[in-house]
Amino acid sequence: MRGGLGKTFAVLSAVGLLAVSACGNSDDSGGGGNAGTDKTVTVFTWWADGGEKAGLDGMVSVFKDKCKDYTFENAAVAGGAGSNAKQVLSNDLAAGKPPSTFQAHAGAELRDYINNGQVDDVSNLYKEFGLDKAFPQSLIDNLTVDGKIYSIPANVHRANVVWTNPAVMKKANLDATKAPASVDAWIADMEKLKAAGVKAPLSTSKGFAQLMVLEVVLLAELGPDKFTGLWNGETDFNGADVTAALEKYKKILTFTNVDREAVDWPDALGYLNKGQSAYFVMGDWVAAQQLADKVPDTAYTYWPAPGTAETFQYLADSFTLPTNGKSPEGTKCWLEVVGSAEGQKAFNLKKGSIPARSDAVVTDYPKYQQTAMADWKSKKVVPSCAHGAACTLGQSDTILSAIGQFSGKPDIPTLQKALASAGKPS
Ligand code: GAL
């Protein structure tokens, strides 16, 4: 336990040091403090439980096979979307104690680590591992800062998804296979559910989950281009169209569970599965959690959030090579696994996401991921702020604190002012 947080810190595998590594060259000392002597690869994530851990375990199984010279050490810190992990990581980095590698979102979130000089350029590894050809150019562009790339993506997740409980929707004679056409139509359905005795038609949880609800409302109401512009300064957060969207968000919050500030996303998903809510806005790691919890896929449906069917709001989990991290050669082996077809398959089959690589075989994946793969190719792609594709860590902090305040005291001018002050990423 550190800093009051439950830090899972377990050595999951120990393997023979004499075995020949499938990756890397152990006499290249890189930038690591203990290079050449320390064979332990400490992997920092927030994937401590359930479907998220199952995904990590999948990646680890390939690492154990391909990187036999090295030992995996799990440094996961529990808490949805890194709500606890990011602070722990920031403290460790500031104290000069980086893990061997850490999870970070592809896109704006990486900028903080880059600007602080906490991650190394891994562009050379893209060439070495053939990743420059394996990933879609659009994703590579998103990862590139001043001509350099600082992480390797493991997946692509979709954020603008609503998960439903058909049995609950039936109470108001609603068809769970069809998404309402707009935010207004969705609000009307929530009214019907409330009238039918469902106290909290939409379950949600603290922090990032509420930001995800706000984001899908903004996306639906403003459209993809204006929505994307919110996070890079091209769309005015003070506009009347944003105010109108915030009114709808405020209304939607009245349909949510009153304990939303006290629970994390797996609890809110539990409310859906237990029949206490009809809807849950959450990324497609839910597919993995349902699998881990053995919830049959007949018990729920999913659709793009109302009014956002033509867009794929994306985020990507990626892994870094921290400056002066331990065991840089072992870390490179981890990164090779992260980018490989085998590693991405083992990870994504369990994680609910789809491979970042373009060469995945669609029929290898469960039904949900097959639909996500098709949509990733055909829909308009927009970034997620809550999950670092569009927003820096600094922007997220400002926005999340405004969201929390709004949850307690829903005042639109205060929220709008705070959102506008988050500005565009520096
Ligand atoms: C996101 C992350 C996902 C999933 C989710 C919930 O930030 O990208 O992989 O872990 O948080 O914890």
Side-chain angles (χ1 to χ4, degrees):
M1 292 280 276
R2 286 169 50 200
L5 303 167
K7 177 156 182 164
T8 314
F9 198 89
V11 177
L12 293 188
S13 71
V15 286
L17 293 179
L18 292 176
V20 178
S21 168
C23 322
N25 170 353
S26 57
D27 55 354
D28 171 3
S29 59
N34 296 320
T37 52
D38 196 333
K39 299 283 186 181
T40 303
V41 178
T42 309
V43 178
F44 187 97
T45 69
W46 52 85
W47 299 327
D49 299 297
E52 307 194 298
K53 177 159 188 308
L56 178 63
D57 288 347
M59 192 73 88
V60 172
S61 67
V62 180
F63 175 79
K64 281 188 188 174
D65 185 39
K66 301 285 183 198
C67 308
K68 290 196 166 66
D69 275 358
Y70 304 100
T71 304
F72 169 79
E73 191 169 66
N74 189 352
V77 174
S83 47
N84 303 319
K86 284 178 181 169
Q87 191 56 52
V88 174
L89 177 65
S90 156
N91 295 347
D92 286 354
L93 293 176
K97 293 181 186 154
S100 304
T101 182
F102 61 85
Q103 164 193 4
H105 291 116
E109 185 178 296
L110 281 172
R111 279 187 226 174
D112 299 86
Y113 304 116
I114 298 168
N115 293 344
N116 292 338
Q118 292 164 327
V119 285
D120 285 351
D121 175 13
V122 293
S123 313
N124 60 330
L125 298 183
Y126 272 66
K127 294 220 169 54
E128 193 178 325
F129 304 156
L131 302 180
D132 44 347
K133 309 241 161 24
F135 296 135
Q137 192 56 42
S138 54
L139 191 56
I140 293 189
D141 290 347
N142 216 338
L143 285 161
T144 307
V145 177
D146 298 333
K148 295 175 183 160
I149 311 182
Y150 293 88
S151 71
I152 296 185
N155 65 353
V156 169
H157 265 303
R158 190 177 198 175
N160 60 321
V161 189
V162 176
W163 307 84
T164 80
N165 182 321
V168 177
M169 289 182 67
K170 216 167 163 209
K171 291 185 184 172
N173 292 320
L174 297 171
D175 178 357
T177 63
K178 289 201 189 83
S182 63
V183 172
D184 286 335
W186 194 25
I187 290 175
D189 287 352
M190 292 197 221
E191 300 276 14
K192 288 184 198 153
L193 283 156
K194 222 165 180 178
V198 182
K199 279 199 204 119
L202 175 76
S203 52
T204 192
S205 51
K206 63 186 171 186
F208 82 96
Q210 288 169 50
L211 176 53
M212 291 181 78
V213 176
L214 172 61
E215 285 194 67
V216 295
V217 173
L218 288 167
L219 178 56
E221 296 297 302
L222 301 183
D225 294 334
K226 278 195 104 177
F227 171 82
T228 304
L230 287 171
W231 318 111
N232 62 24
E234 281 168 18
T235 302
D236 183 5
F237 246 122
N238 292 306
D241 47 0
V242 175
T243 315
L246 295 181
E247 295 283 359
K248 293 183 187 184
Y249 172 64
K250 180 177 175 182
K251 180 76 187 161
I252 288 175
L253 265 197
T254 67
F255 296 110
T256 65
N257 41 307
V258 286
D259 67 349
R260 59 181 175 260
E261 288 303 314
V263 295
D264 202 351
W265 73 269
D267 310 298
L269 174 60
Y271 293 163
L272 182 82
N273 287 337
K274 282 185 272 178
Q276 288 166 260
S277 71
Y279 309 114
F280 181 42
V281 175
M282 189 51 50
D284 47 18
W285 42 92
V286 164
Q289 190 66 29
Q290 299 289 56
L291 199 67
D293 289 344
K294 300 196 169 41
V295 177
D297 64 5
T298 47
Y300 60 94
T301 66
Y302 42 81
W303 13 264
T308 74
E310 293 312 310
T311 54
F312 187 112
Q313 192 191 18
Y314 97 99
L315 57 122
D317 295 306
S318 66
F319 282 91
T320 57
L321 183 64
T323 304
N324 295 326
K326 282 196 304 179
S327 192
E329 284 313 308
T331 307
K332 284 177 196 162
C333 203
W334 170 264
L335 293 175
E336 181 164 8
V337 169
V338 166
S340 69
E342 207 180 327
Q344 299 221 336
K345 185 173 169 190
F347 176 69
N348 287 294
L349 275 176
K350 295 282 161 58
K351 184 71 170 67
S353 40
I354 60 176
R357 296 177 65 98
S358 311
D359 57 4
V361 180
V362 177
T363 48
D364 285 349
Y365 286 81
K367 202 168 77 190
Y368 172 77
Q369 278 107 315
Q370 293 196 15
T371 62
M373 283 184 200
D375 285 355
W376 170 242
K377 287 207 185 101
S378 62
K379 305 293 179 189
K380 182 155 177 122
V381 172
V382 300
S384 153
C385 171
H387 303 284
C391 295
T392 62
L393 291 169
Q395 279 180 298
S396 294
D397 285 349
T398 308
I399 294 168
L400 287 173
S401 109
I403 290 280
Q405 227 189 315
F406 189 78
S407 173
K409 189 167 176 277
D411 180 60
I412 289 177
T414 309
L415 176 61
Q416 194 159 4
K417 208 167 144 207
L419 292 172
S421 83
K424 62 175 185 175
S426 51

